């Protein structure tokens, strides 16, 4: 007896700390942990990529400063060849001079030739291509940030679905546990009746069979629940062992579809398509650029000596490039860009119609679920009343084990059904809120 008291005392102390050891996660906590998901973190890194891309494109607006150095060794010394006619005497007539051809070579440079140049080039005019490229990169960055919001929305929806399914299985297990307790009580009562000769062995075996069927079903349902908890843990990148309850409430918020991140992302894509059209048009303009360079050519590697020509060859230049004919490539590129925007505009309208249709269907389903929940509550009352009636009849020997088993099973089914409906209502509330443009 003393040992039992000691053990009981230990259990009481343990139970005081039990909520902290195995505290259940409610959905509000899980929503906060969505950002811990690896999918969310991948999208965050993707934003970093587009930030660097924007910097890369913006750099084109500042021109380019380059330093070049080259050293060339020639196998033969460069020379300039000259042929000339020079007088060498007087003709026999004494009136004319006699000329002879002479060949000579003059060195033009050393065998070693070194060149160094520091040059700056800047695109004066590109048909607004650089401006539109920068604006396009900014829009792409905005889109990726919106996509991060949408990743969070989708992850929250998936987490809500898993959470609601886990809750339904948890409720089913509780209902089956109660059914198991009822069957265990009936089993003890049936065995007592059998010993007194008031009940046959077949009835006892029937209750036994139903009892073990419920036990097996509990184990199967627990395995399903464990699988879903593992999926939820994977989704938010954190171990979840238990969940809390669900809130059942009427949804009455007006939809704000323009606030949905997926809708906003599509709108940004349409703006990007506009920039693609402008970029295609930029090819119809001439390309104008300037370049200035400090250049030195010499016979030594430090660029200080040149016996054949001037060392300083610094310059400034202006270049214009304009395409006269490209076989229709510019026109085709422009038409492709225009068609791409038209196609995406149609996609946007179709997607918006799909969003509105899905939202309305979910709202209709939610309203119907409240009616089903009301009916399920009434069904539980009826099943409880029927079970108590059959139980008392069985104990009086006026009902057989089949009726009792059926009453217990249907009561458990009704209890599980009510909680399953509550879990569906919870999920649709979350879904309608997120799909209605309420991200928090």
């Amino acid at each position: 007896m003393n040992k039992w008291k000691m053990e009981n005392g230990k259990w009481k102390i343990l139970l005081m700390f039990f909520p902290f050891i195995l505290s259940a996660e409610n959905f509000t906590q899980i929503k906060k942990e969505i950002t811990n998901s690896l999918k969310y973190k991948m999208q965050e890194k993707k934003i970093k990529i587009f930030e660097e891309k924007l910097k890369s494109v913006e750099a084109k607006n500042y021109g380019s400063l380059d330093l070049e150095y080259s050293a060339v060794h020639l196998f033969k010394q460069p020379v300039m060849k000259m042929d000339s006619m020079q007088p060498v005497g007087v003709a026999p007539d004494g009136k004319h001079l006699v000329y002879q051809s002479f060949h000579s070579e003059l060195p033009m440079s050393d065998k070693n030739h070194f060149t160094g140049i520091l040059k700056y080039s800047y695109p004066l005019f590109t048909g607004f291509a650089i401006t539109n490229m920068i604006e396009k990169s900014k829009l792409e960055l905005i889109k990726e940030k919106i996509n991060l919001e949408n990743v969070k929305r989708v992850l929250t929806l998936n987490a809500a679905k898993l959470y609601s399914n886990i809750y339904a299985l948890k409720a089913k297990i509780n209902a089956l546990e109660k059914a198991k307790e009822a069957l265990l009580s009936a089993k003890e009562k049936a065995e007592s009746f059998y010993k007194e000769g008031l009940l046959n062995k077949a009835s006892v075996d029937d209750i036994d069979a139903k009892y073990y069927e419920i036990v097996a079903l509990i184990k199967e349902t627990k395995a399903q629940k464990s699988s879903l908890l593992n999926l939820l843990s994977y989704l938010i990148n954190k171990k979840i062992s238990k969940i809390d309850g669900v809130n059942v409430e009427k949804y009455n918020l007006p939809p704000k579809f323009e606030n949905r991140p997926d809708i906003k992302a599509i709108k940004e894509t349409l703006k990007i398509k506009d920039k693609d059209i402008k970029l295609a048009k930029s090819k119809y303009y001439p390309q104008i650029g300037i370049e200035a360079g400090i250049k030195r050519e010499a016979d030594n590697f430090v660029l200080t000596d040149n016996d054949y020509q001037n060392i300083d060859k610094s310059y400034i230049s202006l270049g214009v490039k304009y395409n006269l004919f490209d076989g229709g490539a510019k026109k085709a590129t422009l038409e492709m860009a225009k068609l791409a925007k038209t196609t995406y505009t149609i996609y946007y309208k179709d997607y918006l119609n799909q969003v509105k249709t899905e939202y309305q269907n979910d709202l209709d389903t939610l309203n119907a679920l409240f009616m089903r929940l009301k009916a399920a509550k009434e069904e539980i009352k009826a099943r409880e009343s029927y079970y108590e009636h059959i139980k008392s009849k069985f104990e009086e020997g006026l009902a057989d084990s089949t009726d009792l088993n059926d009453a217990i099973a249907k009561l458990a089914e009704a209890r599980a059904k009510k909680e399953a409906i509550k879990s569906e209502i919870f999920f649709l509330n979350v879904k309608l809120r997120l799909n209605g443009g309420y991200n928090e």
Side-chain angles (χ1 to χ4, degrees):
M1 185 68 177
N2 290 335
K3 184 178 180 182
W4 163 250
K5 286 181 179 179
M6 288 175 64
E7 292 294 330
N8 194 32
K10 289 179 181 178
W11 278 109
K12 285 180 178 179
I13 293 170
L14 182 60
L15 287 172
M16 287 173 64
F17 295 98
F18 194 72
F20 301 98
I21 298 172
L22 289 175
S23 59
E25 296 267 3
N26 61 42
F27 190 68
T28 301
Q29 292 171 312
I30 287 174
K31 276 202 303 182
K32 291 177 181 178
E33 289 159 354
I34 284 294
T35 54
N36 193 49
S37 168
L38 294 178
K39 287 184 172 61
Y40 187 87
K41 290 179 179 180
M42 282 192 290
Q43 182 60 29
E44 283 183 318
K45 294 299 179 185
K46 194 172 180 182
I47 289 173
K48 296 291 184 184
I49 293 172
F50 276 84
E51 286 175 346
E52 296 303 319
K53 180 183 177 183
L54 176 58
K55 291 178 184 178
S56 174
V57 176
E58 284 178 331
K60 296 180 183 296
N61 219 17
Y62 301 104
S64 176
L65 182 65
D66 301 290
L67 177 64
E68 295 179 11
Y69 184 88
S70 64
V72 178
H73 175 73
L74 303 174
F75 293 125
K76 291 183 178 181
Q77 185 177 27
V79 296
M80 182 174 67
K81 297 178 180 181
M82 294 185 297
D83 290 315
S84 61
M85 301 294 290
Q86 295 181 10
V88 294
V90 181
D93 60 6
K95 295 181 179 180
H96 296 89
L97 294 175
V98 177
Y99 291 88
Q100 184 177 349
S101 175
F102 287 91
H103 176 78
S104 63
E105 294 182 352
L106 295 175
M108 296 300 296
S109 71
D110 196 6
K111 287 186 177 181
N112 296 316
H113 187 71
F114 301 89
T115 303
I117 176 171
L118 178 66
K119 63 180 180 180
Y120 175 74
S121 54
Y122 183 79
L124 283 178
F125 183 69
T126 61
F128 311 105
I130 293 178
T131 302
N132 286 304
M133 284 172 63
I134 293 171
E135 290 178 0
K136 179 181 176 180
S137 293
K138 287 179 179 178
L139 290 171
E140 287 174 337
L141 178 58
I142 292 170
K143 180 184 173 183
E144 290 307 315
K145 289 180 178 179
I146 294 171
N147 282 340
L148 181 64
E149 295 176 23
N150 194 49
V151 167
K152 185 177 181 181
R153 180 186 72 89
V154 173
L155 287 171
T156 305
L157 273 175
N158 291 338
K161 186 63 177 175
L162 286 169
Y163 188 96
S164 65
N165 288 341
I166 292 167
Y167 176 81
L169 291 173
K170 176 183 172 183
K172 183 179 178 180
I173 291 167
N174 291 337
L176 290 172
E177 290 286 359
K178 290 180 181 178
K180 186 178 81 169
E181 291 175 10
L183 283 168
L184 190 60
S185 175
K187 179 183 174 183
E188 291 172 355
K189 185 70 69 175
E191 287 174 350
S192 175
F193 286 165
Y194 172 69
K195 289 176 182 178
E196 294 176 7
L198 300 175
L199 196 67
N200 58 42
K201 186 69 167 62
S203 294
V204 176
D205 291 342
D206 187 35
I207 293 174
D208 275 344
K210 193 65 178 177
Y211 173 81
Y212 290 114
E213 179 187 337
I214 293 293
V215 169
L217 190 55
I218 288 173
K219 289 182 178 179
E220 180 185 342
T221 309
K222 283 182 176 179
Q224 293 172 357
K225 177 188 165 190
S226 179
S227 295
L228 293 184
L229 281 168
N230 289 337
L231 286 174
L232 183 57
S233 300
Y234 160 73
L235 187 71
I236 66 173
N237 195 31
K238 177 190 173 183
K239 182 63 180 176
I240 304 294
S241 301
K242 295 176 68 178
I243 66 161
D244 210 337
V246 296
N247 294 325
V248 177
E249 55 187 16
K250 285 280 188 180
Y251 182 82
N252 55 5
L253 295 173
K256 297 180 179 179
F257 298 120
E258 67 278 4
N259 288 342
R260 279 183 54 155
D262 51 343
I263 298 294
K264 290 196 288 186
I266 293 175
K267 287 182 177 179
E268 290 302 315
T269 303
L270 285 171
K271 294 178 184 177
I272 292 170
K273 298 297 180 186
D274 279 331
K275 297 304 173 185
D276 286 335
I277 292 172
K278 290 181 179 180
L279 281 169
K281 287 180 178 179
S282 69
K283 297 186 181 298
Y284 283 88
Y285 293 93
Q287 310 292 306
I288 305 173
I290 61 168
E291 183 174 300
I294 300 173
K295 183 178 181 181
R296 296 177 73 88
E297 291 187 3
D299 300 330
N300 61 343
F301 73 95
V302 291
L303 306 175
T304 59
D305 183 47
N306 194 325
D307 296 330
Y308 299 94
Q309 53 186 308
N310 60 304
I311 296 174
D312 189 0
K313 293 191 176 180
S314 301
Y315 65 92
I316 184 168
S317 65
L318 174 70
V320 180
K321 180 182 177 182
Y322 184 72
N323 177 257
L324 295 175
F325 179 73
D326 63 357
K330 293 193 297 291
K331 183 179 179 182
T333 303
L334 180 57
E335 288 303 314
M336 283 192 296
K338 289 179 178 179
L339 287 170
K341 184 190 175 183
T342 302
T343 303
Y344 212 81
T345 302
I346 295 170
Y347 168 76
Y348 168 67
K349 292 177 181 178
D350 178 70
Y351 189 85
L352 190 58
N353 288 338
Q354 180 185 343
V355 163
K356 291 178 179 179
T357 302
E358 182 182 353
Y359 180 88
Q360 188 58 49
N361 288 343
D362 287 337
L363 190 60
D364 293 342
T365 302
L366 180 64
N367 292 332
L369 282 172
F370 277 103
M371 296 300 296
R372 285 181 57 196
L373 180 62
K374 185 177 180 181
K377 289 177 180 178
E378 295 302 319
E379 182 183 355
I380 289 174
K381 291 179 183 178
R383 294 294 181 190
E384 286 175 341
S385 176
Y386 179 72
Y387 163 67
E388 293 297 334
H389 171 72
I390 293 297
K391 179 183 175 184
S392 63
K393 289 290 184 181
F394 177 78
E395 290 174 352
E396 292 171 6
L398 300 177
D400 59 20
S401 59
T402 302
D403 293 333
L404 182 60
N405 288 344
D406 186 61
I408 291 171
K410 287 184 176 178
L411 176 56
E413 184 181 337
R415 285 169 173 166
K417 185 200 299 183
K418 185 196 80 170
E419 298 304 317
I421 293 170
K422 284 173 63 178
S423 75
E424 289 182 56
I425 291 173
F426 159 78
F427 171 67
L428 283 178
N429 267 295
V430 174
K431 187 179 180 183
L432 284 166
R433 186 177 183 85
L434 289 171
N435 287 352
Y438 298 90
N439 300 321
E440 297 298 333

